[in-house]
Amino acid sequence: MNCGRTRQVIEMDPGEHTVDELAEEIASIDDVETLESILDAERGGDDRKTAKEAIERRIEAVGEDEPTEDGTASADDVDGGEGSEGDANETDDDAGDADETDDDAGDADGGETSDGDTGEADEDDEDDGLSHPTRDKKHVRALQGGDYEDMWVFCETQAGELTDVSKEMLGKARELMDAYAEEYGDEEDVVAVVIGEDCAELAEETIAYGADVAVFHDDPRLSRFVHKPYTEIAAHMARGQGSLESTEWRAYDEPRYALFPATNNGRDLSALVQAELDSGLASDCSDLFIEDVEISNPVKTGEPGVKKVFERVLHMKRPDFSGFEYSTILCLDNPDRDFHPQGASVIPGTFEVPEPDPDREGLVVEHEMELEDWFGVEVLEHDQLDEGVDLTGHEVVVCLGRGIGDDPTLGMELGLELTDAFEDAAFGITRGIVTSSYQFDGHVEAYSKEERQIGETGQEVAPELYIAAGVSGAVQHKVGIDDSGTIVAINTDPDARIRDFSDYFIEGDLFEVLPALTEAVESGELPVEALADGGIDR
Amino acid sequence: MSANGYEEFEAVVVGCGPGGAAAAARLADHGVETLVLERGVEAGSKNVSGGLIYGEKSAPYTAEELFPGFREEAAERPVTETYIHNVAGDRVKSYDLTDIHEHDTAWCEAVLRRKMDSWLEKRVHERTSETGGGVLTDVRVNGLLRENGEIVGVTCDELDPIRAELIVAADGVNSELARDAGLMDWEEPEEWFQGVKAVVDVEPGEIEDRFALGEDEGLAHLFSGDLFEGVRGGGFLYTNESSLSIGTVFHLDSLVERRAEPHELLDALLTHPLLAQWLDADYDEREYAAKLVPDSKKVALKEPYADRLVVVGDAAGQMQAQGPIIKGMNHAVTAGALAADAFAVTRGNADPEAAGRRYATMLEESGTMSKLRPRRYELARTVGERDLVTRAVEGVLDSPVGRLALGNRLADRALERAYNSPYLVSMLPDTRTGYVTVPTIVGEQHGRPVTWENEVEPPELIDRIGDLTYDTDVGNPHIELLDESFEASGAAVYACPVSAEGFGGGCYRAETVRTNGGEETLVSLDTQPCVECGTCAVVADTDWEHPRGGKGVEYRQG
């Protein structure tokens, strides 16, 4: 205990200190009488309830400690310990300085934190056989009172192209920073980050989508997302390191804001980079805006009962409670510790893909950095998932409905034959067939599955020619074919709904009409009269 | 969050219909932290009712008392006149039922459920928010959370399990919670009615003209007789602000037995000459809807609770359908509010069933149970519903003596009195005699021919389905057909209100399949057109669940 300091503060006027400061000051006073006199001074002065409580707590604590004499259990020791831990990396604060203005808010209730700290210390002594890789993790790079500017957008690439969500974020960032310049009078940049192989051109492209500056790191080993190197590079860039060509465009410690895509890789990268920069992250956001906000939380203001306005705060809206409510997340500095960049990951599709402007000008900066042994994970094999049958993009689509019910297998065969007669045709079915109990023979069964379903809950097609055989024409089917060029329907029922939206309606049995059509397509001659009679006898 | 990672609320209410809304509002009044989970995109989007809600003089709670402004803002029109029409061919005999309608009735309003329930949802959200809860939509509760065999909460498709001190199952006629708790089943068709309804658009101001009504007046017309191919049940027409609710309600066992198509029975009513006075060729159907209705006389739970679970409304079978009286929503309101009160007075009691037992007692003491399960009916049913007795009575009625008895003038007046006696009406056994034979003879003997030409062309089923709004849960059907033989599940092909024999666009289709030289008829199922009424859960062999939150059919009228 620093007795000298104890004497020093006897003279102190509690009214000159915030409650937090006061709590810190008196934490080193062991003398009940001294404390009582401070309490009296407070009563006679500002008479703050919180201040009096803080002093009373201290008096109580000292009273309890007195008989033990050794002092190990007293809150002040532990507080002191925590203080020195925090001091190590901070530039200008010494817990003893009476004029200190931004103490750790957590110290206000030393009792609670001390328990936790003591507990940890105990664990340290025991060897539990685990490596505890994060034991020494301290906020080593956390800044306080740093300079922050710009909105950084961490772009994702796939197969050598910017993904849509990257463009969406750039467009949104442009919009936000334009509004920011108008509101606050400061022109700050949208900075695009591109990491990958052969990505210089993509960096160039981000300018067209709204970036002012594009920073890229190009390395063949980065062709796929790998956690460690991507994280190290991104954090390195954000701290302003490694841009050899030109650093003039940035004169700040870290980005003010950071956006990431909430994709599989983006979610990983966002959490790692934001942790590396010792800030927070609002994940999976669905809206963003920048605004001032008034806060009364003492952890943020440093003093209970005081309101403080935080300027230029990125408001990050995200679905909460599994998407049933929305929360707005704010990432605010503490009095003694900054939380920047204010970071969010953005759900793909949330914002519009902007129209690229090829004439936009911007600065493209190559980032340089020695990549260390960060490639422990290697992609040995990769496979593209089978995406099923694509019925779109064909000139002709032949679709069968429940009209095949009398002989489902034969119906399918006839439909497939007609499909094959065309040069570029696809074969589809209605939901009525997919969900039926029809027993198909093996060779056509594969065509009766959901992957070929046309309609609202299947695929939507828009061929030049759509041939619907034995399809009744429910609304759910209609929406799947509405954009087709010419619609030809074959149905035994002249009142079938499909007639209302067909260009040609053939009243007849598909088992007769389909072979006739196949023959006509193959021969190039259409025997219209025979069709009108309801088919051709074979 | 509790220590074991579950969300925890003091009370969880499942379903935001009138029962759930009343429970939640009363719980909030008692300062209870209450979470309401609604599976629709909005309360009312999953709900259908014929359309009358009563405020009973004898009831401890009414919707208007619990939710001030209800009648003005959530309802359509008050019912100021009630008639029943006995139909025999084109002969119709009508009686004024206003007396029985007004018996014990403080007020009665025609309602459309989307409007009514969504209005309730807003009030409930406001009130439950004040005590730390609120309403969440698009959440389907799929079962009960149990610990050591005891019910302690609910599990959901969309959220983590939620623990609560009180669980209110207000999840409707197909309550998955009541079934999970073993309180209800879907076994016997004779315990259920099935209703189908068309909401018919009418130009604003037209209702007053067509029905000779003032602005704050409304009508209820009931129909019975031989309109419906001998199927036991009847029809109704209620006036809304600028639409009509026209529907039919039948005993499900009778529908199955007669192999009747519900939508055709509705069409039979819509196209009857009697309705030509109110409907014209410009018939415009806003919405086709269907639901099951529990027959409270047979299934209203005498002990609607298990552990911390209490069951209210349709979920507990609290639907009073006796002759022309159909009351459900008012009883749900009463039950919901009483369940909340029961929890408030037994709070802190170590016995998990304390609230449930108290709730059952309050239902009994408030007289609600005796309305739902009248003892008179239980006594009358033992003789009245036996086939033999029915046949004997029918024989007499059909004989010249019986017809004379029903046909004379004295009988006419006695009949009107009988219809208007709550005592006699509650005794009417559910046989053909009450529903079909008597009204038919009355129509024949007393009726006057109705010769108006009805020009209504009701939409076909394919269009009725096409006009409904669905958010199909692709690849995740909520009903599984366990037995596809026609013997086990064929009844669904006709009894399902969105299926029909010979119609390929419905849920259930009969298909003749050739296998190994033989031929058999199989039933196949497509759940896309499903209106979630629950009919097939009773008449077919299925594994039946509701769709996930927000998925499936979305009623705009309800």
Side-chain angles (χ1 to χ4, degrees):
Chain A
M1 267 317 91
N2 183 337
C3 296
R5 266 179 51 200
T6 308
R7 222 159 286 128
Q8 215 178 344
V9 293
I10 297 173
E11 315 295 335
M12 93 182 202
D13 175 3
E16 285 181 1
H17 300 271
T18 67
V19 176
D20 284 342
E21 291 164 9
L22 188 64
E24 173 119 349
E25 289 298 327
I26 61 175
S28 54
I29 302 174
D30 303 324
D31 181 47
V32 177
E33 275 176 46
T34 312
L35 289 166
E36 304 250 12
S37 73
I38 297 171
L39 182 58
D40 285 342
E42 177 64 33
R43 282 191 186 124
D46 294 356
D47 199 27
R48 289 167 299 186
K49 190 162 176 279
T50 46
K52 287 187 291 180
E53 280 169 4
I55 303 166
E56 279 160 2
R57 269 201 304 276
R58 180 64 195 147
I59 292 173
E60 214 170 288
V62 171
E64 282 169 12
D65 284 348
E66 259 171 359
T68 67
E69 289 287 324
D70 66 13
T72 46
S74 72
D76 52 30
D77 257 27
V78 186
D79 263 4
E82 191 186 65
S84 60
E85 189 181 289
D87 288 348
N89 309 296
E90 289 174 10
T91 47
D92 60 351
D93 65 336
D94 179 325
D97 285 354
D99 58 356
E100 173 66 52
T101 51
D102 45 9
D103 287 273
D104 190 341
D107 282 0
D109 50 359
E112 263 183 45
T113 44
S114 70
D115 289 347
D117 285 356
T118 318
E120 265 175 40
D122 290 346
E123 278 170 31
D124 283 351
D125 296 337
E126 290 168 25
D127 183 4
D128 57 10
L130 302 174
S131 67
H132 292 285
T134 57
R135 174 182 291 163
D136 300 329
K137 171 75 177 165
K138 291 170 190 158
H139 301 300
V140 286
R141 298 188 200 88
L143 293 171
Q144 189 224 336
D147 290 325
Y148 308 100
E149 282 178 34
D150 296 353
M151 176 172 282
W152 283 44
V153 177
F154 291 84
C155 297
E156 187 174 60
T157 65
Q158 197 162 43
E161 285 182 28
L162 288 175
T163 57
D164 278 354
V165 63
S166 302
K167 298 171 189 171
E168 290 159 19
M169 289 191 299
L170 287 167
K172 183 64 182 177
R174 182 75 267 146
E175 188 186 298
L176 286 169
M177 295 317 281
D178 287 347
Y180 177 95
E182 208 159 287
E183 174 73 24
Y184 298 107
D186 290 333
E187 299 267 354
E188 294 190 9
D189 292 337
V190 172
V191 179
V193 174
V194 184
I195 300 173
E197 181 186 14
D198 289 336
C199 58
E201 268 178 41
L202 297 182
E204 200 81 52
E205 198 183 339
T206 63
I207 304 287
Y209 284 100
D212 300 299
V213 179
V215 189
F216 72 95
H217 191 107
D218 193 340
D219 190 301
R221 288 171 291 174
L222 299 171
S223 62
R224 282 175 188 285
F225 175 74
V226 196
H227 292 77
K228 183 68 175 167
Y230 266 65
T231 306
E232 292 290 343
I233 294 165
H236 196 250
M237 285 174 172
R239 288 194 211 96
Q241 299 161 309
S243 296
L244 297 178
E245 301 164 47
S246 160
T247 51
E248 278 168 26
W249 61 275
R250 61 169 289 164
Y252 49 85
D253 297 312
E254 283 179 4
R256 182 188 293 282
Y257 312 117
L259 305 185
F260 301 84
T263 54
N264 287 341
N265 294 341
R267 283 191 177 111
D268 285 1
L269 185 69
S270 58
L272 291 164
V273 170
Q274 288 295 101
E276 199 57 36
L277 298 175
D278 284 295
S279 185
L281 173 73
S283 58
D284 294 10
C285 294
S286 55
D287 194 18
L288 300 168
F289 55 96
I290 297 168
E291 208 165 76
D292 295 348
V293 63
E294 191 178 58
I295 295 290
S296 57
N297 182 343
V299 174
K300 296 296 173 189
T301 61
E303 189 171 349
V306 172
K307 288 189 178 165
K308 180 174 167 185
V309 174
F310 288 78
E311 289 188 345
R312 311 175 187 206
V313 174
L314 184 60
H315 286 59
M316 300 172 279
K317 247 182 123 171
R318 70 185 299 277
D320 208 2
F321 215 149
S322 304
F324 298 96
E325 295 289 332
Y326 283 85
S327 303
T328 302
I329 309 290
L330 309 180
C331 182
L332 303 173
D333 295 345
N334 280 7
D336 67 333
R337 186 181 155 207
D338 295 352
F339 288 99
H340 275 86
Q342 300 177 1
S345 64
V346 177
I347 298 173
T350 302
F351 305 116
E352 296 278 305
V353 175
E355 278 300 312
D357 174 4
D359 299 333
R360 254 185 72 84
E361 290 186 2
L363 178 68
V364 178
V365 182
E366 180 160 15
H367 174 261
E368 291 187 18
M369 178 186 195
E370 202 60 45
L371 302 188
E372 296 174 29
D373 184 20
W374 294 329
F375 295 90
V377 176
E378 209 182 323
V379 177
L380 297 174
E381 239 182 279
H382 59 91
D383 193 9
Q384 192 135 12
L385 291 179
D386 187 9
E387 281 171 18
V389 177
D390 188 358
L391 301 176
T392 62
H394 296 277
E395 278 177 29
V396 182
V397 172
V398 177
C399 179
L400 297 185
R402 293 174 61 86
I404 64 171
D406 285 346
D407 191 340
T409 297
L410 176 61
M412 294 287 261
E413 286 170 354
L414 297 177
L416 287 163
E417 280 168 20
L418 177 59
T419 309
D420 288 343
F422 291 103
E423 239 169 65
D424 176 25
F427 176 78
I429 49 176
T430 64
R431 189 177 167 89
I433 291 187
V434 175
T435 58
S436 71
S437 56
Y438 297 154
Q439 316 274 311
F440 293 103
D441 288 355
H443 63 291
V444 295
E445 208 206 335
Y447 296 94
S448 67
K449 301 287 183 259
E450 200 143 10
E451 60 184 11
R452 289 189 181 270
Q453 184 193 322
I454 293 173
E456 193 179 19
T457 56
Q459 298 188 44
E460 293 187 15
V461 296
E464 283 166 40
L465 174 62
Y466 183 77
I467 300 172
V471 175
S472 62
V475 174
Q476 293 85 351
H477 185 72
K478 180 172 182 286
V479 299
I481 63 164
D482 255 353
D483 294 333
S484 302
T486 301
I487 297 177
V488 178
I490 303 159
N491 206 303
T492 49
D493 176 8
D495 293 327
R497 274 298 164 282
I498 196 155
R499 188 171 182 168
D500 300 344
F501 49 92
S502 298
D503 299 290
Y504 298 94
F505 183 83
I506 303 172
E507 183 184 341
D509 186 348
L510 65 89
F511 290 97
E512 292 167 7
V513 177
L514 285 179
L517 279 179
T518 305
E519 203 174 297
V521 172
E522 282 170 351
S523 68
E525 286 171 30
L526 180 66
V528 176
E529 283 164 25
L531 283 177
D533 287 344
I536 299 167
D537 291 332
R538 301 197 109 188
Chain B
M1 263 297 171
S2 68
N4 52 15
Y6 294 134
E7 288 287 343
E8 190 141 13
F9 286 82
E10 283 182 277
V12 165
V13 177
V14 182
C16 197
R26 280 302 286 164
L27 284 166
D29 290 350
H30 292 302
V32 178
E33 179 196 45
T34 305
L35 178 68
V36 183
L37 300 174
E38 162 61 44
R39 71 186 177 92
V41 290
E42 180 182 60
S45 64
K46 292 291 185 184
N47 305 72
V48 179
S49 70
L52 298 188
I53 181 167
Y54 290 79
E56 287 185 329
K57 291 177 195 158
S58 63
Y61 290 101
T62 69
E64 177 67 26
E65 285 160 17
L66 281 175
F67 302 100
F70 174 85
R71 296 182 61 192
E72 182 61 34
E73 290 165 42
E76 294 284 320
R77 266 175 202 273
V79 174
T80 48
E81 292 170 58
T82 305
Y83 298 95
I84 188 162
H85 307 276
N86 294 286
V87 180
D90 63 353
R91 298 179 78 86
V92 177
K93 175 62 188 175
S94 305
Y95 293 107
D96 187 335
L97 285 191
T98 307
D99 279 355
I100 188 165
H101 172 79
E102 288 179 353
H103 170 78
D104 195 28
T105 301
W107 51 266
C108 174
E109 296 273 350
V111 293
L112 292 171
R113 293 294 297 276
R114 182 66 182 263
K115 175 177 156 189
M116 173 183 126
D117 293 31
S118 60
W119 184 88
L120 287 174
E121 180 197 317
K122 288 190 192 80
R123 305 289 88 75
V124 169
H125 188 67
E126 286 160 10
R127 277 155 80 168
T128 50
S129 297
E130 281 173 23
T131 55
V135 181
L136 288 181
T137 59
D138 301 275
V139 179
R140 170 181 164 250
V141 170
N142 57 22
L144 295 163
L145 177 69
R146 289 184 171 84
E147 274 171 19
N148 305 320
E150 190 193 317
I151 297 164
V152 295
V154 295
T155 57
C156 318
D157 284 351
E158 291 80 11
L159 305 177
D160 290 334
I162 299 168
R163 285 175 55 102
E165 289 164 41
L166 176 74
I167 302 132
V168 181
D171 48 345
V173 64
N174 297 310
S175 170
E176 290 178 64
L177 295 188
R179 283 169 181 83
D180 190 338
L183 298 172
M184 276 280 187
D185 62 33
W186 269 304
E187 302 298 330
E188 307 298 334
E190 56 266 29
E191 294 175 349
W192 307 92
F193 302 92
Q194 183 206 68
V196 295
K197 183 177 77 163
V199 176
V200 182
D201 194 62
V202 180
E203 291 289 315
E206 271 281 297
I207 299 267
E208 285 82 354
D209 286 353
R210 285 194 208 173
F211 294 86
L213 291 170
E215 219 172 90
D216 288 324
E217 293 175 338
L219 272 165
H221 287 287
L222 305 171
F223 307 94
S224 64
D226 70 354
L227 254 170
F228 306 115
E229 304 170 15
V231 187
R232 280 180 286 122
F236 60 84
L237 180 155
Y238 306 137
T239 50
N240 301 318
E241 262 170 26
S242 66
S243 63
L244 301 172
S245 291
I246 304 177
T248 46
V249 183
F250 294 100
H251 281 268
L252 189 53
D253 56 331
S254 185
L255 278 174
V256 171
E257 184 198 7
R258 296 251 151 192
R259 231 173 147 142
E261 297 280 359
H263 67 285
E264 288 176 4
L265 298 178
L266 173 64
D267 291 347
L269 173 61
L270 288 169
T271 55
H272 191 274
L274 182 61
L275 272 80
Q277 57 186 316
W278 303 307
L279 302 174
D280 55 26
D282 296 335
Y283 179 86
D284 178 11
E285 197 169 293
R286 281 194 204 165
E287 188 172 89
Y288 174 73
K291 99 179 276 282
L292 277 193
V293 179
D295 186 348
S296 71
K297 297 191 293 296
K298 295 168 183 160
V299 298
L301 296 175
K302 290 172 181 165
E303 294 183 346
Y305 59 88
D307 299 337
R308 306 177 187 187
L309 174 77
V310 293
V311 191
V312 307
D314 268 8
Q318 294 163 345
M319 175 81 185
Q320 180 190 358
Q322 277 138 7
I325 305 174
I326 302 172
K327 292 178 176 178
M329 292 178 276
N330 60 316
H331 295 314
V333 167
T334 297
L338 290 179
D341 293 348
F343 177 70
V345 296
T346 57
R347 222 166 160 185
N349 191 318
D351 178 359
E353 284 196 338
R357 264 202 307 279
R358 180 84 193 126
Y359 159 58
T361 310
M362 289 163 98
L363 270 182
E364 194 69 52
E365 285 173 357
S366 65
T368 312
M369 262 331 266
S370 60
K371 291 173 192 164
L372 294 170
R373 298 191 77 126
R375 297 206 28 200
R376 289 188 295 276
Y377 170 80
E378 308 232 343
L379 293 174
R381 167 156 85 131
T382 50
V383 285
E385 277 178 23
R386 282 197 205 127
D387 274 359
L388 194 67
V389 180
T390 307
R391 256 181 276 144
V393 174
E394 299 244 315
V396 174
L397 285 172
D398 246 349
S399 72
V401 180
R403 290 194 172 240
L404 188 67
L406 274 177
N408 73 32
R409 284 184 171 282
L410 273 173
D412 189 13
R413 257 180 285 156
L415 272 171
E416 182 150 10
R417 261 211 312 281
Y419 269 122
N420 274 302
S421 153
Y423 181 80
L424 286 175
V425 161
S426 73
M427 263 174 63
L428 268 184
D430 289 330
T431 62
R432 268 181 56 83
T433 316
Y435 278 106
V436 183
T437 314
V438 171
T440 304
I441 294 172
V442 168
E444 276 173 13
Q445 300 291 323
H446 298 283
R448 295 193 179 159
V450 176
T451 53
W452 294 301
E453 193 181 334
N454 189 319
E455 297 173 288
V456 171
E457 277 186 35
E460 289 183 32
L461 205 44
I462 189 174
D463 296 319
R464 283 175 162 155
I465 294 168
D467 287 343
L468 285 168
T469 307
Y470 293 97
D471 181 355
T472 307
D473 194 357
V474 180
N476 193 14
H478 62 281
I479 305 171
E480 195 192 334
L481 189 58
L482 298 177
D483 187 339
E484 57 178 16
S485 72
F486 197 83
E487 299 73 59
S489 302
V493 177
Y494 42 88
C496 164
V498 287
S499 303
E501 288 188 87
F503 173 48
C507 281
Y508 287 91
R509 292 94 31 121
E511 289 154 3
T512 304
V513 174
R514 265 166 291 189
T515 39
N516 301 330
E519 229 184 45
E520 63 176 323
T521 303
L522 293 183
V523 177
S524 70
L525 166 65
D526 175 7
T527 55
Q528 181 176 292
C530 178
V531 292
E532 298 159 37
C533 68
T535 300
C536 61
V538 183
V539 305
D541 188 2
T542 64
D543 185 3
W544 203 103
E545 290 185 343
H546 289 106
R548 284 191 296 143
K551 294 291 181 184
V553 71
E554 179 191 339
Y555 285 120
R556 301 283 164 91
Q557 307 291 324

